Amino acid sequence: MSLEKGKVVEKHEVDSLEHKVYSFIDSLSEYIPIANDRARLSYDFVKYFWGESDTPEIILKKNKVKIEGISFEELVGKIKKGLEEIR
């Protein structure tokens, strides 16, 4: 763990599921420009892998993220493909 702006931030091992998911979602910053949106999505997609969350489409809709430069359907496709590669 490390201290970042007065908060304790947990660091994940490079080969952990959490690190892979957060890194993948961060790679979509061109389409999801708000860092907090990406963090919320990442958390939900980790829960998705654990079987504790909805489908990628529902996760994206319920988080109401700001999407730029791509349609909702195209973004869902990219996310599904990326999650399958992580799996």
Side-chain angles (χ1 to χ4, degrees):
M1 284 194 247
S2 67
L3 193 61
E4 184 177 293
K5 293 187 181 177
K7 295 182 181 179
V8 174
V9 178
E10 193 171 324
K11 299 290 181 181
H12 300 289
E13 296 295 322
V14 175
D15 59 346
S16 71
L17 172 67
E18 291 86 353
H19 185 273
K20 290 176 183 178
V21 170
Y22 276 77
S23 294
F24 167 64
I25 296 299
D26 273 343
S27 76
L28 299 173
S29 63
E30 173 184 353
Y31 309 117
I32 307 168
I34 300 172
N36 195 39
D37 286 349
R38 293 192 306 272
R40 284 193 326 273
L41 283 177
S42 297
Y43 176 77
D44 274 346
F45 286 125
V46 168
K47 287 176 58 178
Y48 166 78
F49 276 108
W50 294 341
E52 298 176 4
S53 192
D54 296 309
T55 64
E57 296 92 342
I58 293 173
I59 290 170
L60 200 56
K61 281 183 185 178
K62 81 172 185 173
N63 278 285
K64 300 179 183 175
V65 299
K66 180 179 180 177
I67 300 171
E68 291 183 348
I70 193 171
S71 71
F72 176 84
E73 292 78 16
E74 290 172 317
L75 182 58
V76 168
K78 284 184 179 291
I79 290 172
K80 283 182 172 181
K81 182 178 177 190
L83 294 177
E84 279 302 313
E85 290 174 5
I86 291 171
R87 197 178 289 266

